[in-house]
Amino acid sequence: MNWHNSNAQPEGNRIRNAMSVDVEDWFQVQAFADAIPRDEWDYLSCRVEANTEQVLERFAEAGVRATFFTLGWVAQRYPALVRRIVDAGHELASHGNGHERVDAIGAEAFRADIRKARMLLEDAGGVAVRGYRAPTFSIGPHTPWAHQVLAEEGYRYSSSIFPVKHDLYGAPDAPRGPHRPHPDGVLELPMTTVRAFGRSLPCSGGGWFRLAPYQLFRAGLQRVNQMEARPGIFYFHPWELDPEQPRVFQARPLSRFRHYTGLPTMGARLDRLLRDFAWGSMSDVFALELAEPAMPAKLRAMAG
């Protein structure tokens, strides 16, 4: 597939990148999974609504439309927030229901999770949900069934593979551009990387964006846009704009470092990023790729 996407260029030769938000609360991150039991979630201070409202305000001021990969857990408790996301003109997509790792729960539990999440999101938002992003980018070599299950459940694309090596996630041998890991599955729009020193380095946001110098991140995304002539994908979480969130002192030191470093300056960095590049939702930026249907197994057999 040709990575060059003319739909990603709204003006001149300036490529439009995909802006995305993983809507989850501070206590639902994988880094704290060992420190905060799942059955305690409903008793903790929820800050996702106020933090996501702040995201919506920043996007409105910058004139940016984005994709909000939202947990079914959030939609069930804050349906009005989901409706406000849709009413503001953003794309509503699924982040699963309970923020469980796909590679840990197996195919049948995964099917139930994405089915429930889609039902909750569509009921709250009043729009069709076609995009999906796995919690902690937990789709990869150990989940060869995932993209087919997503297609069977009515999804059109996934943005769940991160072609890097990481202790919590990653598929370093995966293609860096849009592709179909399963011929009967949904299109995968992998997280953006840059090639340097013989390896793929992350250039998509998250903790990397808060930890690295802004100029370095900007140069990496500019390289993807200008030298490879293709759009990038950026993501962040609403809790990253909340430096006053509770501290989880029982979490491991590395987890605390990753989670809390850079929170006070994240808002200013994000505002600068919104100004420095052109942005759109996943479905808008990758409209041409999404228009190419998967080839059914029967047709593949005939072609072979």
Side-chain angles (χ1 to χ4, degrees), residues 42-226:
D42 281 319
Y43 303 99
L44 297 172
S45 172
C46 289
R47 304 169 71 90
V48 67
E49 185 174 30
N51 290 335
T52 305
E53 290 286 3
Q54 183 183 164
V55 174
L56 290 171
E57 291 173 5
R58 289 177 184 273
F59 284 172
E61 184 175 346
V64 167
R65 295 292 179 266
T67 298
F68 284 71
F69 291 98
T70 307
L71 287 179
W73 189 96
V74 172
Q76 187 172 20
R77 289 158 179 80
Y78 302 100
L81 174 64
V82 174
R83 188 69 226 180
R84 288 195 291 275
I85 291 171
V86 173
D87 289 345
H90 301 291
E91 178 187 10
L92 182 63
S94 171
H95 198 33
N97 184 60
H99 207 265
E100 297 179 275
R101 291 186 64 103
V102 179
D103 53 6
I105 63 177
E108 290 311 308
F110 173 61
R111 185 185 297 277
D113 180 87
I114 61 174
R115 181 180 294 177
K116 181 176 182 179
R118 187 176 171 210
M119 176 191 70
L120 290 168
L121 289 165
E122 291 185 344
D123 284 350
V127 294
V129 169
R130 294 291 180 261
Y132 172 79
R133 176 170 291 155
T136 323
F137 305 110
S138 53
I139 285 180
H142 302 297
T143 58
W145 34 264
H147 288 82
Q148 184 176 12
V149 172
L150 283 165
E152 292 169 354
E153 291 300 317
Y155 290 84
R156 291 183 59 207
Y157 74 87
S158 164
S159 183
S160 304
I161 291 178
F162 212 144
V164 297
K165 187 175 182 180
H166 190 277
D167 59 328
L168 294 178
Y169 56 79
D173 296 327
R176 296 174 55 239
H179 63 285
R180 293 188 186 273
H182 191 289
D184 292 330
V186 299
L187 181 71
E188 174 63 34
L189 302 173
M191 305 309 293
T192 303
T193 60
V194 293
R195 292 292 298 174
F197 311 109
R199 59 187 298 186
S200 294
L201 302 177
C203 190
S204 292
W208 302 104
F209 181 68
R210 288 183 281 111
L211 293 168
Y214 177 81
Q215 293 81 357
L216 181 63
F217 182 89
R218 182 179 61 187
L221 187 54
Q222 287 175 336
R223 178 174 176 175
V224 171
N225 289 169
Q226 297 171 7

Side-chain angles (χ1 to χ4, degrees), residues 278-292:
W279 300 99
S281 70
M282 299 285 293
S283 288
D284 285 342
V285 170
F286 294 100
L288 295 181
E289 289 85 351
L290 288 167
E292 297 181 10

